[in-house]
Amino acid sequence: MSDQLLGSEPQRRSILQTIGGVGGLALFSSAAAGSMADSDDCAPGASGRPDYRLPELPYAYDALEPHIDARIMELHHDKHHQSYVDSANAAVEELEEMRANEDFEGIRSTKRDLSFNLSGHVNHTVFWASMSPDGGGTPDGALATAIENQFGSFEAFQAEFTAAATAVEGAGWAMLFYEPLADALVIGQVEDQNELAHQGATPLLPLDVWEHAYYLQYENDREAYVDAWWNVVDWTAVGQRYEILTELRCGLNQETGDTGNATAGSDTTTDTDTDMDTDTDTTAKDADHSN
């Protein structure tokens, strides 16, 4: 993602702080991650109480026209997204009061409110950063290679993503995730935000298909909205997010010694396993002889 898209350094810090953590850094760019690395906020436990904030749009309200009109962008960002931020912060305050009073009677509802609204905040933050007035076309680099390897072609990927987006039941999202356990790209549906099925996966490319994202312009024609949206996808930003996540995974594997190549259910017997079996057999025989 370009510095122009992320804005000034204070703005980059603000955007990253809306999410925080390694996952938050990976959602944006290596340049932004570097700006956070020099911050005092990197000290363990320095973040303190969560304070979620609405990030600025990285472009003007009308920048995505004619594909998404200015009024939709204004309402979507300033009203809907702001509501998620406010509600997430309110849930945090309620939890603090519960702790102070040692009264957790309403914790189920409050935890669900936090989950729903924080998910909405994160999803929208990545959504804005995944679009650009100079978007459209196709990805390149490592992301393009991964899409071709896993889906067969960009056209096949696009067709599956479009089908998933138009088929979301009720309100929700279609998303391209990076799933680190298998080093895989996964297309998923997130309905009502609390039902994220791909645990541990990070959104690379989210598409909001709640009606507030398109109804003023496309009415109930979600498919037309999805088709138009491809013209504003910022593949540079999405590709950078993918490269950061794969680099983080490789770095973690190197630290732990995990090559990441093991396949569930495969025969993973090694020479070490054989040696252990031999030692066990020898010990057992020695025990038999001692009796």
Side-chain angles (χ1 to χ4, degrees):
M1 183 185 300
S2 67
D3 284 350
Q4 181 179 5
L5 181 59
L6 280 166
S8 64
E9 179 161 327
Q11 183 179 348
R12 290 198 296 270
R13 288 174 182 266
S14 176
I15 291 173
L16 289 166
Q17 287 167 350
T18 63
I19 299 176
V22 172
L25 297 178
L27 296 178
F28 297 98
S29 75
S30 56
S35 73
M36 286 296 291
D38 296 332
S39 170
D40 292 338
D41 294 339
C42 290
S47 59
R49 169 185 164 179
D51 180 19
Y52 302 110
R53 284 164 282 172
L54 181 71
E56 296 179 13
L57 274 180
Y59 32 72
Y61 293 131
D62 62 356
L64 304 183
E65 291 184 340
H67 311 293
I68 305 177
D69 72 32
R71 184 57 176 161
I72 286 178
M73 293 298 296
E74 181 180 6
L75 291 172
H76 197 171
H77 176 267
D78 293 5
K79 301 297 183 182
H80 291 281
H81 191 170
Q82 183 68 66
S83 177
Y84 288 123
V85 172
D86 294 342
S87 297
N89 286 325
V92 169
E93 291 181 7
E94 288 180 14
L95 289 170
E96 284 194 338
E97 292 178 6
M98 289 180 182
R99 297 182 194 117
N101 298 324
E102 297 184 352
D103 180 4
F104 297 98
E105 182 178 354
I107 194 168
R108 179 178 180 180
S109 174
T110 303
K111 287 286 189 180
R112 188 167 181 82
D113 284 347
L114 179 57
S115 172
F116 177 83
N117 289 292
L118 180 53
S119 295
H121 174 36
V122 172
N123 292 346
H124 282 89
T125 300
V126 187
F127 181 53
W128 310 134
S130 299
M131 298 185 292
S132 167
D134 301 318
T138 60
D140 57 16
L143 178 60
T145 300
I147 287 175
E148 185 170 348
N149 287 342
Q150 295 182 47
F151 295 94
S153 66
F154 174 77
E155 290 74 21
F157 154 77
Q158 189 177 39
E160 181 176 337
F161 191 102
T162 296
T166 55
V168 169
E169 185 176 359
W173 299 74
M175 292 191 185
L176 175 66
F177 295 95
Y178 176 68
E179 198 287 286
L181 290 178
D183 187 28
L185 297 174
V186 179
I187 295 173
Q189 296 172 317
V190 179
E191 296 177 353
D192 293 333
Q193 293 178 168
N194 266 324
E195 301 174 2
L196 179 57
H198 306 290
Q199 298 294 331
T202 300
L204 288 174
L205 178 62
L207 172 58
D208 190 344
V209 292
W210 293 61
E211 285 193 342
H212 63 240
Y214 63 89
Y215 196 86
L216 285 178
Q217 184 173 1
Y218 295 95
E219 295 184 344
N220 64 340
D221 193 349
R222 181 190 290 180
E223 187 171 357
Y225 159 67
V226 175
D227 288 342
W229 171 78
W230 288 110
N231 293 292
V232 297
V233 173
D234 186 348
W235 287 113
T236 299
V238 179
Q240 287 179 350
R241 227 169 282 147
Y242 173 74
E243 290 176 14
I244 292 171
L245 287 166
T246 54
E247 288 171 6
L248 287 170
R249 178 183 184 273
C250 289
L252 180 61
N253 286 344
Q254 288 173 0
E255 290 180 8
T256 61
D258 180 7
T259 62
N261 293 326
T263 302
S266 65
D267 184 3
T268 57
T269 301
T270 64
D271 291 341
T272 302
D273 295 330
T274 304
D275 291 342
M276 290 178 64
D277 292 341
T278 302
D279 291 342
T280 303
D281 292 343
T282 302
T283 302
K285 290 176 182 178
D286 289 342
D288 289 340
H289 289 312
S290 67
N291 288 333

